[in-house]
Amino acid sequence: MSLHAPQFFAELCLPFTDSTVVGNTYYATPIAGAALRLRISFTETIYADTYGGLHMAVVHPDRGKIDSVALSFVDHGTFHRRDEALNTPRKNRNYGTFNTAYHRPDQPPWEGAVTARLRDAIEQYTEVWFPGAWGTPTPSRAAARTVQKTPAPPASRTASRTR
């Protein structure tokens, strides 16, 4: 059964114009003319036809994979609402995953996914490797990146003593 990968990545609303989905993998060139590419694929679990997140990699055409990160659906609450509605216990092997063999007919296997936090994680990761690829940061993101001054630690008591 198909993962419906093009629809999943379209739902993420990634801003990269130079991108394509081949099979179940998303490929993009976030910065035009740059050598680095972004690759996002689904991560399999130990159970057949079951997927538990996304695997992102920064790839160089000559040097191969430069860096990668796994984004778990559980960690990003992608299926939390669905699993809570179905009363799926967190210890259940299907919690926070989707299965291509068992899902409602005429629906993608990832039906019920909430991708906002997953998309935010993708944005944070790509901003490290492809600064400016997402355009200007939103006010909330800019506020989160504001540098805060850390107070100096108190001076040692022994350093201030006079002899």
Side-chain angles (χ1 to χ4, degrees):
M1 187 58 156
S2 173
L3 285 173
H4 299 271
Q7 293 89 341
F8 183 87
F9 291 114
E11 190 170 307
L12 282 173
C13 298
L14 301 176
F16 313 121
T17 55
D18 189 8
S19 64
T20 189
V21 176
V22 178
N24 294 324
T25 304
Y26 176 86
Y27 297 93
T29 306
I31 298 177
L36 295 179
R37 307 289 189 262
L38 178 67
R39 178 179 66 208
I40 306 174
S41 57
F42 293 94
T43 57
E44 298 175 343
T45 66
I46 61 171
Y47 303 103
D49 303 318
T50 304
Y51 299 86
L54 297 177
H55 180 261
M56 295 180 49
V58 175
V59 181
H60 188 277
D62 298 327
R63 291 184 246 153
K65 184 166 54 173
I66 304 294
D67 188 59
S68 67
V69 66
L71 303 175
S72 163
F73 292 144
V74 171
D75 292 344
H76 296 89
T78 308
F79 294 104
H80 179 74
R81 188 179 309 165
R82 177 205 66 188
D83 292 340
E84 291 296 312
L86 296 173
N87 292 320
T88 305
R90 282 182 80 72
K91 292 184 180 182
N92 185 307
R93 70 181 180 109
N94 295 320
Y95 186 88
T97 66
F98 72 86
N99 186 298
T100 58
Y102 305 105
H103 60 89
R104 293 185 338 155
D106 300 326
Q107 293 296 323
W110 42 267
E111 176 188 15
V114 177
T115 58
R117 289 178 52 200
L118 195 60
R119 185 180 190 277
D120 286 347
I122 293 170
E123 177 181 356
Q124 289 174 348
Y125 181 78
T126 56
E127 276 297 317
V128 170
W129 288 97
F130 308 99
W134 286 75
T136 58
T138 61
S140 62
R141 291 240 184 260
R145 294 182 186 147
T146 303
V147 176
Q148 302 292 326
K149 288 188 178 185
T150 306
S156 166
R157 288 187 290 167
T158 58
S160 63
R161 288 188 198 162
T162 58
R163 294 188 179 208

